[in-house]
Amino acid sequence: MARPSIAERVLKGLEEARDHAAGKEVRGLVEHVPKDIDVAAIRKKTNLSQAAFANMIAVKLPTLRNWEQGRRTPEGPARVLLTMVNKKPNIVVSTLAPKLAAAKSTKAPAKAKLCSKRAAKPQDAA
């Protein structure tokens, strides 16, 4: 029997991905999800406070605290997102919080920000 062409293998892979996304069993599929997630260590990689990190990943602050203190465990999409943050924190932060990432990359003094706001105000007519 001849080996399937590249196009046939790609199509089969796409069909398997569609089936997996629909919740169907895909023969031979192996999911790689870490058993334990150290949420506090992951957050620290981003140099964000608990409040800022919770806001970035769209969870409530008490939820994040429960995860960090081991009272609860992240599940589903949150677990996947935390795994992504753990592997590539800069990419995830720049994607989910672009203003925050830009502020971190440019360490402008606070006074410079205030001056630019004042300059944007219309001048009094004299």
Side-chain angles (χ1 to χ4, degrees), residues 92-112:
V92 176
V93 170
S94 65
T95 302
L96 297 178
K99 289 180 183 177
L100 181 64
K104 283 185 164 193
S105 66
T106 59
K107 296 183 179 182
K111 287 183 180 179

Side-chain angles (χ1 to χ4, degrees), residues 40 56 58 65 123 126:
M56 180 186 75
R65 288 183 176 149
Q123 299 293 327

Side-chain angles (χ1 to χ4, degrees), residues 14 31 40 43 49 51-52 54 61 63-64 76 81 87 91 104 115:
L14 289 172
E31 293 183 29
R43 177 182 58 82
S49 67
L61 183 57
T63 300
L64 178 66
L81 180 57
K87 290 189 184 247
I91 292 172
K104 283 185 164 193
C115 292

Side-chain angles (χ1 to χ4, degrees), residues 28-51:
L29 176 72
V30 178
E31 293 183 29
H32 301 280
V33 179
K35 290 181 181 181
D36 297 318
I37 293 182
D38 186 348
V39 178
I42 293 169
R43 177 182 58 82
K44 287 175 186 171
K45 283 184 174 183
T46 66
N47 294 319
L48 294 175
S49 67
Q50 285 182 328

